[in-house]
Amino acid sequence: MSKRRGSRRAGSGLPGGANPMAMLQKMQQDMAEAQESLESETTEVTVGGGAIKVVITGHQRVQSVEINPEVIDLDDEEWLTDLQDLLVAAVNQSIEQSQAMAAERMEAITGGLGDIPGLGGLLG
């Protein structure tokens, strides 16, 4: 007697008889739309008590860097070093926020993948 594999006709095993392929196609479309929207969505980071503001997109593209001229002290010899340190901190924080924003969007789309039989949590 031979056993047949992969020929489950009595439903998909998913709630409501959902089609796993259709679910994956919908998720792929949702992910593409989310990626497209992240291109224009931005996050702002301000450091140094308002000395520097960085605006970055969900694709980790820096849109702008603003330096508040009111906090620049040209008489302080260490100000340039401080300014450089603040710029590094602001850019790094903005990248982290942008990545978190993108991960949050993708998690909202892929959160239910563990429920699809056969994927074994590969995408979730």
Side-chain angles (χ1 to χ4, degrees), residues 34 38 97-111:
L38 284 168
Q97 280 191 12
S98 175
Q99 289 172 336
M101 179 175 62
E104 186 177 294
R105 297 289 190 294
M106 293 303 123
E107 176 63 29
I109 295 168
T110 63

Side-chain angles (χ1 to χ4, degrees), residues 56-70:
I56 191 169
T57 70
H59 281 187
Q60 289 84 51
R61 301 287 188 252
V62 174
Q63 295 250 306
S64 66
V65 176
E66 294 179 24
I67 300 172
N68 183 348
E70 296 176 9

